[in-house]
Amino acid sequence: AQTVTQSQPEMSVQEAETVTLSCTYDTSENNYYLFWYKQPPSRQMILVIRQEAYKQQNATENRFSVNFQKAAKSFSLKISDSQLGDTAMYFCAFSPNTGNQFYFGTGTSLTVIP
Amino acid sequence: DAEITQSPRHKITETGRQVTLACHQTWNHNNMFWYRQDLGHGLRLIHYSYGVQDTNKGEVSDGYSVSRSNTEDLPLTLESAASSQTSVYFCASRKTRTSGKDGELFFGEGSRLTVL
């Protein structure tokens, strides 16, 4: 069974500082994809970043980057230069390449403090 | 711009009533999904469809049904609403059947359902 675990229900960070959100997953698949989605108070789910498991290089998107450790099954999200607009719920998600399903973690609520 | 829309955005109903949540996407995606979001559970898959006339049960399908008569729409029906079905419901679609290039999930804005 595929599971995704986010062990930090809530986090906070000062504006302009850096914060790291943790995610671990469990799978027997070898080819899969990992995602971080952001859900601001508007409820809209927005893709932040994605990582292909076969790529060793960590994905980056502007201020967002990941630390992907395949052997440890860890996929953390680093947000640099945090902004007030980063305040949101963040969901880690896993999707095996062989299937059509996404498996989501329980989310981490991030608050950026001015 | 292509989009995915859900209606209604908010609904209050009574136990035992039938409720239908609409989902319409203009991406022309074959793959569509319904999730429910609850505190402490994240998003859980209710039903999904790979194309017209195709529907499949997800992790929490009991009490829900879907039908796919065209590419654009996947309505979710609660045959007899129960208080345990109070939740926020998200519809999503994606271009490809499996993850990979173009494998991103696109979400609607969610429908908050309260069953009294």
Side-chain angles (χ1 to χ4, degrees), chain B residues 39-84:
Chain B
L39 269 177
H41 290 279
L43 279 79
R44 291 182 292 174
L45 183 63
I46 305 172
H47 282 284
Y48 60 101
S49 169
Y50 290 149
V52 176
Q53 302 301 331
D54 176 79
T55 61
N56 305 279
K57 293 181 178 180
E59 177 187 1
V60 290
S61 61
D62 287 349
Y64 303 95
S65 64
V66 293
S67 61
R68 189 88 180 271
S69 58
N70 58 52
T71 300
E72 296 79 16
D73 299 290
L74 186 71
L76 177 72
T77 297
L78 287 70
E79 300 293 344
S80 178
S83 58
S84 60

Side-chain angles (χ1 to χ4, degrees), chain A:
Chain A
Q2 337 280 2
T3 59
V4 178
T5 301
Q6 293 179 251
S7 59
Q8 305 153 313
E10 296 180 355
M11 295 189 72
S12 61
V13 62
Q14 290 290 139
E15 194 175 5
E17 297 296 310
T18 296
V19 64
T20 298
L21 280 57
S22 301
C23 174
T24 58
Y25 58 94
D26 188 22
T27 184
S28 57
E29 301 275 347
N30 192 46
N31 295 320
Y32 51 87
Y33 298 81
L34 295 159
F35 305 82
W36 278 98
Y37 277 87
K38 168 186 177 182
Q39 185 182 42
S42 66
R43 259 191 355 223
Q44 181 71 51
M45 294 283 283
I46 303 163
L47 177 66
V48 175
I49 199 165
R50 57 177 278 154
Q51 173 81 40
E52 291 90 339
Y54 64 86
K55 287 188 176 179
Q56 291 186 335
Q57 186 174 6
N58 289 324
T60 62
E61 287 289 341
N62 301 314
R63 297 183 295 108
F64 299 87
S65 61
V66 299
N67 182 5
F68 173 49
Q69 302 289 330
K70 190 173 183 180
K73 296 180 181 174
S74 171
F75 183 61
S76 60
L77 175 70
K78 185 172 83 170
I79 305 174
S80 305
D81 185 25
S82 297
Q83 300 176 0
L84 297 178
D86 295 334
T87 291
M89 182 74 83
Y90 288 82
F91 290 97
C92 178
F94 163 94
S95 182
N97 193 40
T98 53
N100 200 1
Q101 294 193 29
F102 274 62
Y103 300 89
F104 288 86
T106 52
T108 296
S109 177
L110 177 68
T111 301
V112 179
I113 302 168

